[in-house]
Every structure is written in C-alpha cells, then in structure tokens.
Amino acid sequence: MRDYPEDGGEGMSQVFNGQKMLLDLPSPPAARVDGTIYFTDELLQDTSGDYFIPERFFYASPPADSDGGDAELHEHSDTKSLYALGRAVERTEAGFIVNEEQEIIPTSAFMRSFEDIAATRGELDCGLTASSTKYASLLPNPLRAKANGRMVYTVPLIIFMDDVSGNISKQWNKHHAIYMLNANLPREMLEKEFFVRFVTSSPHAAPMELMRAMKQSICDAATSGVAAWDCKD
C-alpha cells in the first residue's frame, strides 16, 4: 500500500498519482518521523528552529541536486520522500503569525511535535495574532486523542455497483451488488480479482438505498476510526 498520495509530475501511472488525491481529497492526517507522530493542522518546529503547520502530506522526488543530479535515481519510485505542504509560522511578542503563502518542506526536517511544544511552559501563551486565526489554531488535532499514540491512516476507496443475476439458470433474477477496492494499492494489484471486495447485495433494495447505507457506514468509520494492526506499526 502507498499510505500517502504521490506527486507523479506530468505523468500518472497509479491512482495515488492523481491530482484529486494529491490536492482535493482530505490529506492523510499523520506522519511518523523518527518515532514521533505529527498531525496535520498542528504547530510543530523544524530542525532550523522555525515553526510550521502542515496541511497535507505527500510523496515526491527529492530536488535534482540533492544527490548529485542522478536523473535515473529520481525517476525510481523508491527514492520518493515524504513532504508536507503547509504554512510557516513566526513567533513574535504579539503572537504567532501564520504566513499567508503555503510552502513545502521535507518531513525529515520535523523536530518537535505539538505535544513537545505544549509541554514547554509559556511557549504557547502568546497565542495567535488576529490575522492568523483564519489559517490555524493552537490546538491539537482531534485525531491525536482518538489515536492514543497510534498512527492514523486514511484509505481511499473505489466503490462501484453492478447488477447481476442471482440464478444459475438462464432466468434473470436481478441483484444490485456493491464492490470496493483499496485505492492505495498499485494498479497491478487493483487489476486482480482477489483485491475486488464484495460489500453488499440485494434483490429488493433500490441502488440508491444501498449506496446510502454504504455511505453512512463509511462516514461512521471515518468519524470513530477503525483500530488495525500491521507489520509496520
């Protein structure tokens, strides 16, 4: 699985290379850097001492001059690094000032999380300036408390419906069935039948009734979260 959307440049070979996943859909909310979990929309501090609020996480190729300009190396997907799109923040006596312009920094530059900053006496006492409140808040991401120290991932789904016959004989007995795929999987896997998952079917419910229930189930899962375990975390 590719846990974050990927900036594929001008080309697109995977679902997670698409601009919609990169810029339009909600970003994966968390990134783990050196064992520390950072969330979107939270204040952090990078290795230069500057403050930053990430808004999106994504994979991209490092700058061409970062390793001697080896073009072939940069084209290889394994060399893509995790970056954050967000806003620089400056701490002043009047309060934290959030930059109006977005910028991109590598997540490898993250040094102190919101928890570390909040635990330092007086560091957040100055608050935000009035002009910055429309861009951010000095509060933790609500998912931090729900996660309870665990990573949080988002799994985009490809959902489709088809009408099939419920009979082995030639007599048509129409059922509407819903299937889904994990859009974080490579295209080579999405093309295999094993990764097409059956969700529900009914010979009586209308298609929109089935989709309404499907949407509600996904919304409930997105709100409450689903605890899962894998070999990475």
Side-chain angles (χ1 to χ4, degrees):
M1 284 177 54
R2 200 67 161 165
D3 297 323
Y4 301 92
E6 182 179 298
D7 183 358
E10 297 181 357
M12 177 178 174
S13 60
Q14 304 289 351
V15 176
F16 44 75
N17 293 147
Q19 183 175 355
K20 185 172 184 178
M21 287 186 62
L22 185 64
L23 298 175
D24 298 337
L25 295 180
S27 169
R32 189 193 299 272
V33 180
D34 296 331
T36 301
I37 298 176
Y38 298 86
F39 282 85
T40 55
D41 303 320
E42 282 188 352
L43 186 70
L44 60 84
Q45 193 173 29
D46 61 25
T47 52
S48 67
D50 296 330
Y51 293 94
F52 185 77
I53 296 179
E55 296 175 349
R56 306 190 73 87
F57 294 118
F58 64 96
Y59 282 117
S61 297
D65 58 354
S66 63
D67 57 9
D70 190 336
E72 292 185 2
L73 180 63
H74 288 289
E75 290 178 358
H76 197 278
S77 61
D78 292 342
T79 67
K80 293 188 183 296
S81 302
L82 188 61
Y83 287 82
L85 172 69
R87 302 177 191 273
V89 182
E90 181 183 0
R91 189 173 188 268
T92 68
E93 293 183 359
F96 286 98
I97 301 175
V98 181
N99 198 319
E100 294 182 357
E101 299 293 329
Q102 292 178 309
E103 62 182 67
I104 296 172
I105 67 172
T107 58
S108 58
F110 292 177
M111 183 178 66
R112 297 175 67 216
S113 69
F114 180 84
E115 284 187 323
D116 299 327
I117 296 173
T120 303
R121 183 186 297 273
E123 191 165 359
L124 296 177
D125 289 351
C126 61
L128 287 170
T129 59
S131 61
S132 298
T133 55
K134 60 182 177 181
Y135 297 116
S137 67
L138 296 181
L139 296 173
N141 189 309
L143 290 173
R144 181 177 287 279
K146 290 184 179 181
N148 193 26
R150 294 171 293 190
M151 268 295 293
V152 179
Y153 297 100
T154 55
V155 181
L157 301 174
I158 300 173
I159 301 171
F160 62 96
M161 176 181 285
D162 195 9
D163 56 340
V164 297
S165 176
N167 291 345
I168 298 177
S169 66
K170 293 183 179 180
Q171 183 178 0
W172 185 252
N173 181 17
K174 185 169 68 173
H175 287 61
H176 289 101
I178 297 178
Y179 306 88
M180 69 179 181
L181 300 94
N182 181 348
N184 278 343
L185 292 173
R187 172 177 48 81
E188 296 78 7
M189 293 184 178
L190 292 177
E191 294 173 348
K192 298 180 180 180
E193 182 180 351
F194 175 81
F195 295 100
V196 179
R197 295 300 185 179
F198 170 80
V199 179
T200 187
S201 177
S202 173
H204 306 295
M208 294 309 297
E209 289 182 285
L210 293 174
M211 277 298 182
R212 188 181 303 113
M214 176 74 179
K215 177 185 176 182
Q216 187 60 51
S217 178
I218 293 174
C219 290
D220 292 344
T223 301
S224 60
V226 178
W229 290 263
D230 59 35
C231 60
K232 292 192 297 184
D233 298 318

mmCIF file of all heavy atoms in Angstrom, residues 167-188:
data_model
loop_
_atom_site.group_PDB
_atom_site.id
_atom_site.type_symbol
_atom_site.label_atom_id
_atom_site.label_comp_id
_atom_site.label_asym_id
_atom_site.label_seq_id
_atom_site.Cartn_x
_atom_site.Cartn_y
_atom_site.Cartn_z
ATOM 1 N N ASN A 167 -29.410 -16.234 -10.206
ATOM 2 C CA ASN A 167 -29.728 -17.602 -10.603
ATOM 3 C C ASN A 167 -28.612 -18.201 -11.449
ATOM 4 O O ASN A 167 -27.948 -17.507 -12.220
ATOM 5 C CB ASN A 167 -31.025 -17.642 -11.419
ATOM 6 C CG ASN A 167 -32.239 -17.320 -10.558
ATOM 7 O OD1 ASN A 167 -32.155 -17.342 -9.336
ATOM 8 N ND2 ASN A 167 -33.350 -17.013 -11.202
ATOM 9 N N ILE A 168 -28.444 -19.506 -11.312
ATOM 10 C CA ILE A 168 -27.508 -20.222 -12.179
ATOM 11 C C ILE A 168 -28.151 -20.477 -13.530
ATOM 12 O O ILE A 168 -27.488 -20.519 -14.564
ATOM 13 C CB ILE A 168 -27.075 -21.549 -11.519
ATOM 14 C CG1 ILE A 168 -26.354 -21.266 -10.194
ATOM 15 C CG2 ILE A 168 -26.163 -22.348 -12.446
ATOM 16 C CD1 ILE A 168 -25.954 -22.518 -9.442
ATOM 17 N N SER A 169 -29.479 -20.630 -13.539
ATOM 18 C CA SER A 169 -30.195 -20.889 -14.785
ATOM 19 C C SER A 169 -30.235 -19.627 -15.644
ATOM 20 O O SER A 169 -29.753 -18.571 -15.253
ATOM 21 C CB SER A 169 -31.622 -21.351 -14.475
ATOM 22 O OG SER A 169 -32.348 -20.302 -13.870
ATOM 23 N N LYS A 170 -30.839 -19.740 -16.804
ATOM 24 C CA LYS A 170 -30.916 -18.611 -17.724
ATOM 25 C C LYS A 170 -31.952 -17.580 -17.300
ATOM 26 O O LYS A 170 -31.992 -16.482 -17.842
ATOM 27 C CB LYS A 170 -31.236 -19.117 -19.133
ATOM 28 C CG LYS A 170 -30.113 -19.949 -19.751
ATOM 29 C CD LYS A 170 -30.461 -20.357 -21.168
ATOM 30 C CE LYS A 170 -29.332 -21.165 -21.801
ATOM 31 N NZ LYS A 170 -29.658 -21.577 -23.194
ATOM 32 N N GLN A 171 -32.829 -17.950 -16.363
ATOM 33 C CA GLN A 171 -33.834 -16.993 -15.913
ATOM 34 C C GLN A 171 -33.159 -15.848 -15.153
ATOM 35 O O GLN A 171 -32.365 -16.074 -14.248
ATOM 36 C CB GLN A 171 -34.863 -17.677 -15.011
ATOM 37 C CG GLN A 171 -35.979 -16.731 -14.561
ATOM 38 C CD GLN A 171 -37.007 -17.444 -13.699
ATOM 39 O OE1 GLN A 171 -36.873 -18.641 -13.452
ATOM 40 N NE2 GLN A 171 -38.017 -16.724 -13.248
ATOM 41 N N TRP A 172 -33.478 -14.621 -15.540
ATOM 42 C CA TRP A 172 -32.818 -13.446 -14.952
ATOM 43 C C TRP A 172 -33.436 -13.102 -13.600
ATOM 44 O O TRP A 172 -34.637 -12.927 -13.472
ATOM 45 C CB TRP A 172 -32.947 -12.265 -15.905
ATOM 46 C CG TRP A 172 -32.211 -11.034 -15.449
ATOM 47 C CD1 TRP A 172 -32.752 -9.891 -14.962
ATOM 48 C CD2 TRP A 172 -30.804 -10.832 -15.437
ATOM 49 N NE1 TRP A 172 -31.785 -8.975 -14.646
ATOM 50 C CE2 TRP A 172 -30.570 -9.533 -14.931
ATOM 51 C CE3 TRP A 172 -29.713 -11.629 -15.800
ATOM 52 C CZ2 TRP A 172 -29.293 -9.007 -14.780
ATOM 53 C CZ3 TRP A 172 -28.443 -11.101 -15.654
ATOM 54 C CH2 TRP A 172 -28.239 -9.809 -15.152
ATOM 55 N N ASN A 173 -32.611 -13.031 -12.568
ATOM 56 C CA ASN A 173 -33.046 -12.660 -11.224
ATOM 57 C C ASN A 173 -32.104 -11.567 -10.737
ATOM 58 O O ASN A 173 -31.083 -11.840 -10.125
ATOM 59 C CB ASN A 173 -33.007 -13.882 -10.300
ATOM 60 C CG ASN A 173 -33.469 -13.536 -8.887
ATOM 61 O OD1 ASN A 173 -34.094 -12.505 -8.664
ATOM 62 N ND2 ASN A 173 -33.142 -14.398 -7.945
ATOM 63 N N LYS A 174 -32.453 -10.330 -11.041
ATOM 64 C CA LYS A 174 -31.507 -9.223 -10.872
ATOM 65 C C LYS A 174 -31.241 -8.897 -9.406
ATOM 66 O O LYS A 174 -32.159 -8.765 -8.601
ATOM 67 C CB LYS A 174 -32.016 -7.976 -11.598
ATOM 68 C CG LYS A 174 -31.021 -6.820 -11.572
ATOM 69 C CD LYS A 174 -31.423 -5.692 -12.503
ATOM 70 C CE LYS A 174 -32.661 -4.984 -12.043
ATOM 71 N NZ LYS A 174 -32.944 -3.781 -12.863
ATOM 72 N N HIS A 175 -29.955 -8.775 -9.075
ATOM 73 C CA HIS A 175 -29.488 -8.262 -7.794
ATOM 74 C C HIS A 175 -28.607 -7.043 -8.072
ATOM 75 O O HIS A 175 -27.863 -7.023 -9.046
ATOM 76 C CB HIS A 175 -28.626 -9.296 -7.053
ATOM 77 C CG HIS A 175 -29.400 -10.440 -6.488
ATOM 78 N ND1 HIS A 175 -30.136 -11.304 -7.264
ATOM 79 C CD2 HIS A 175 -29.541 -10.857 -5.204
ATOM 80 C CE1 HIS A 175 -30.695 -12.227 -6.493
ATOM 81 N NE2 HIS A 175 -30.344 -11.978 -5.239
ATOM 82 N N HIS A 176 -28.668 -6.062 -7.200
ATOM 83 C CA HIS A 176 -27.708 -4.964 -7.251
ATOM 84 C C HIS A 176 -26.627 -5.254 -6.211
ATOM 85 O O HIS A 176 -26.932 -5.504 -5.042
ATOM 86 C CB HIS A 176 -28.383 -3.623 -6.958
ATOM 87 C CG HIS A 176 -29.272 -3.163 -8.069
ATOM 88 N ND1 HIS A 176 -30.642 -3.291 -8.027
ATOM 89 C CD2 HIS A 176 -28.982 -2.598 -9.269
ATOM 90 C CE1 HIS A 176 -31.166 -2.814 -9.141
ATOM 91 N NE2 HIS A 176 -30.183 -2.387 -9.915
ATOM 92 N N ALA A 177 -25.393 -5.231 -6.643
ATOM 93 C CA ALA A 177 -24.272 -5.562 -5.761
ATOM 94 C C ALA A 177 -23.270 -4.412 -5.737
ATOM 95 O O ALA A 177 -23.031 -3.749 -6.749
ATOM 96 C CB ALA A 177 -23.582 -6.841 -6.226
ATOM 97 N N ILE A 178 -22.692 -4.173 -4.558
ATOM 98 C CA ILE A 178 -21.675 -3.131 -4.386
ATOM 99 C C ILE A 178 -20.330 -3.795 -4.101
ATOM 100 O O ILE A 178 -20.245 -4.730 -3.298
ATOM 101 C CB ILE A 178 -22.038 -2.173 -3.235
ATOM 102 C CG1 ILE A 178 -23.338 -1.429 -3.546
ATOM 103 C CG2 ILE A 178 -20.920 -1.164 -2.992
ATOM 104 C CD1 ILE A 178 -23.788 -0.495 -2.436
ATOM 105 N N TYR A 179 -19.307 -3.290 -4.759
ATOM 106 C CA TYR A 179 -17.942 -3.776 -4.565
ATOM 107 C C TYR A 179 -17.038 -2.580 -4.263
ATOM 108 O O TYR A 179 -17.385 -1.434 -4.560
ATOM 109 C CB TYR A 179 -17.418 -4.484 -5.820
ATOM 110 C CG TYR A 179 -18.308 -5.587 -6.324
ATOM 111 C CD1 TYR A 179 -19.340 -5.317 -7.230
ATOM 112 C CD2 TYR A 179 -18.127 -6.904 -5.912
ATOM 113 C CE1 TYR A 179 -20.161 -6.323 -7.700
ATOM 114 C CE2 TYR A 179 -18.944 -7.922 -6.384
ATOM 115 C CZ TYR A 179 -19.963 -7.624 -7.280
ATOM 116 O OH TYR A 179 -20.773 -8.626 -7.743
ATOM 117 N N MET A 180 -15.886 -2.851 -3.691
ATOM 118 C CA MET A 180 -14.941 -1.762 -3.452
ATOM 119 C C MET A 180 -13.509 -2.259 -3.575
ATOM 120 O O MET A 180 -13.224 -3.455 -3.437
ATOM 121 C CB MET A 180 -15.157 -1.127 -2.078
ATOM 122 C CG MET A 180 -14.797 -1.986 -0.895
ATOM 123 S SD MET A 180 -15.084 -1.092 0.664
ATOM 124 C CE MET A 180 -14.534 -2.335 1.845
ATOM 125 N N LEU A 181 -12.613 -1.307 -3.852
ATOM 126 C CA LEU A 181 -11.185 -1.578 -3.937
ATOM 127 C C LEU A 181 -10.436 -0.537 -3.112
ATOM 128 O O LEU A 181 -10.910 0.587 -2.916
ATOM 129 C CB LEU A 181 -10.684 -1.518 -5.385
ATOM 130 C CG LEU A 181 -11.276 -2.477 -6.407
ATOM 131 C CD1 LEU A 181 -12.426 -1.803 -7.141
ATOM 132 C CD2 LEU A 181 -10.218 -2.914 -7.407
ATOM 133 N N ASN A 182 -9.257 -0.909 -2.660
ATOM 134 C CA ASN A 182 -8.381 -0.016 -1.907
ATOM 135 C C ASN A 182 -7.546 0.790 -2.900
ATOM 136 O O ASN A 182 -6.668 0.254 -3.566
ATOM 137 C CB ASN A 182 -7.487 -0.847 -0.982
ATOM 138 C CG ASN A 182 -6.556 0.002 -0.145
ATOM 139 O OD1 ASN A 182 -6.397 1.197 -0.379
ATOM 140 N ND2 ASN A 182 -5.932 -0.613 0.843
ATOM 141 N N ALA A 183 -7.803 2.099 -2.990
ATOM 142 C CA ALA A 183 -7.118 2.934 -3.981
ATOM 143 C C ALA A 183 -5.655 3.187 -3.641
ATOM 144 O O ALA A 183 -4.924 3.751 -4.456
ATOM 145 C CB ALA A 183 -7.847 4.268 -4.132
ATOM 146 N N ASN A 184 -5.210 2.784 -2.449
ATOM 147 C CA ASN A 184 -3.794 2.916 -2.101
ATOM 148 C C ASN A 184 -2.947 1.790 -2.680
ATOM 149 O O ASN A 184 -1.717 1.817 -2.566
ATOM 150 C CB ASN A 184 -3.616 2.934 -0.578
ATOM 151 C CG ASN A 184 -3.881 4.300 0.017
ATOM 152 O OD1 ASN A 184 -3.887 5.299 -0.697
ATOM 153 N ND2 ASN A 184 -4.111 4.356 1.314
ATOM 154 N N LEU A 185 -3.597 0.797 -3.271
ATOM 155 C CA LEU A 185 -2.857 -0.321 -3.854
ATOM 156 C C LEU A 185 -2.361 0.036 -5.250
ATOM 157 O O LEU A 185 -2.995 0.814 -5.965
ATOM 158 C CB LEU A 185 -3.753 -1.559 -3.941
ATOM 159 C CG LEU A 185 -4.159 -2.207 -2.622
ATOM 160 C CD1 LEU A 185 -5.179 -3.308 -2.875
ATOM 161 C CD2 LEU A 185 -2.945 -2.774 -1.894
ATOM 162 N N PRO A 186 -1.252 -0.540 -5.674
ATOM 163 C CA PRO A 186 -0.767 -0.307 -7.043
ATOM 164 C C PRO A 186 -1.765 -0.823 -8.072
ATOM 165 O O PRO A 186 -2.544 -1.742 -7.803
ATOM 166 C CB PRO A 186 0.541 -1.107 -7.093
ATOM 167 C CG PRO A 186 0.938 -1.317 -5.674
ATOM 168 C CD PRO A 186 -0.330 -1.374 -4.887
ATOM 169 N N ARG A 187 -1.727 -0.230 -9.246
ATOM 170 C CA ARG A 187 -2.644 -0.618 -10.318
ATOM 171 C C ARG A 187 -2.521 -2.102 -10.656
ATOM 172 O O ARG A 187 -3.516 -2.758 -10.982
ATOM 173 C CB ARG A 187 -2.341 0.230 -11.559
ATOM 174 C CG ARG A 187 -3.080 -0.180 -12.815
ATOM 175 C CD ARG A 187 -2.764 0.771 -13.954
ATOM 176 N NE ARG A 187 -1.338 1.018 -14.080
ATOM 177 C CZ ARG A 187 -0.491 0.188 -14.697
ATOM 178 N NH1 ARG A 187 -0.928 -0.936 -15.230
ATOM 179 N NH2 ARG A 187 0.796 0.485 -14.787
ATOM 180 N N GLU A 188 -1.306 -2.641 -10.567
ATOM 181 C CA GLU A 188 -1.103 -4.051 -10.890
ATOM 182 C C GLU A 188 -1.900 -4.967 -9.966
ATOM 183 O O GLU A 188 -2.296 -6.071 -10.357
ATOM 184 C CB GLU A 188 0.389 -4.398 -10.806
ATOM 185 C CG GLU A 188 1.262 -3.678 -11.824
ATOM 186 C CD GLU A 188 1.570 -2.239 -11.444
ATOM 187 O OE1 GLU A 188 1.214 -1.828 -10.312
ATOM 188 O OE2 GLU A 188 2.151 -1.513 -12.278
#
